[in-house]
Amino acid sequence: MGVREGWRGLVEGLVEPLGPREISGLLPRGGTVLGTTRTNPYKLEGGVERVLETFSREGLDALVAIGGEDTLGVAARLFAEHEFPVVGVPKTIDNDLSATDYTFGFDTAVTVATEAIDRLHTTAESHNRVMVVEVMGRHTGWIAVTSGIAGGADVILIPELPITVEDACAEIRRRHERGKDFSIVVVSEGYELTYESGETRLVAGEARASDQFGHVRLGGVGEALAHEIQERTGYETRVTVLGHVQRGGTPTPRDRVLATRYGLKAAELVLEGRFGRMAALDGDAIVDVSLAEATAELKRVPREWYDVARAFFG
Ligand code: F6P
């Protein structure tokens, strides 16, 4: 059976058969044929009770929850509070779930972002410009650091280890003084503009009613940063916001294989009745970890990763 629209489907009883016909041809498709929403049953009056009711009314034995910190956070809580028979599969482009080396979707997003950086080099070099590329990732800089290293970015700004606007401009100036008259700057959407004075500024919109996990809509920091760079360095600076382009299209072979392996592990966990667990990647091995551990805190980019990127700044 397939549950439509994420947790909303269990709250509202949107459950339908998922047979061989419905699941054929999925490998090259991005997104989800079931649809998704940012519904949090814990934020709805009687939401959790309705999830439990739908589950028993439909005669279901187990639930496989596929998603990131929000989706799996609900799964972890349902398991802890109701012994709900759920197993998790880590899926988010942000790669910010703990207890797994990679989530699926991330490799595809990084591939798209890297290709964009490669393409932006053309204009940067031809027109002697600074090109700022804003990528997604919410409150972690995994996409920025990984695509930035792969694409040879000259400066990368991420939420976890925020360098100052002054330092970013100094790197760009140093580079231009060394005879390179273009630069590529990658900024993660969750980076807060940070100044030597200690002042910080998060460029973000309002929280949305449709997002019951309370996330603000990020986006716009690229524009603000580009403005600062142009003002401070005098170099012509342009911005490209990759947005949902990096979240769509056909998945990379690596993501397809990872999702397939996670799927098999999830099936095995269900058959063995090992609920409250999540399929995870440890090195090259598929293992299982507790949902509670996976969702306890965000997996942030560690300094060693940022240092690899930083070695090539300027
Ligand atoms: O969590 C995945 C993600 O793509 C984030 O990187 C981004 O901030 C957010 O979702 C965008 O969500 P929406 O499409 O709902 O604006």
Side-chain angles (χ1 to χ4, degrees), residues 38 92-94 96 136-138 143 189 208 211 216-218 244 247:
R38 297 194 189 278
T92 162
I93 62 164
D94 301 339
D96 58 356
M136 282 183 164
R138 200 164 263 156
I143 298 176
E189 61 178 359
R208 291 164 294 173
D211 187 333
V216 290
R217 186 157 60 84
L218 294 170
H244 296 87
R247 214 170 69 179

Side-chain angles (χ1 to χ4, degrees), residues 29-32 36-38 91-94 104-113 135-138 143 189 208 211 217 242-251 255:
R29 291 186 65 166
T32 161
T36 187
T37 53
R38 297 194 189 278
K91 182 240 29 129
T92 162
I93 62 164
D94 301 339
F104 79 87
F106 173 66
D107 188 61
T108 303
V110 167
T111 302
V112 173
V135 299
M136 282 183 164
R138 200 164 263 156
I143 298 176
E189 61 178 359
R208 291 164 294 173
D211 187 333
R217 186 157 60 84
L242 291 186
H244 296 87
V245 168
Q246 68 209 291
R247 214 170 69 179
T250 186
D255 266 343

Side-chain angles (χ1 to χ4, degrees), residues 231-244:
E231 286 285 298
R232 287 164 190 261
T233 64
Y235 305 134
E236 184 177 5
T237 306
R238 297 296 183 89
V239 195
T240 301
V241 180
L242 291 186
H244 296 87

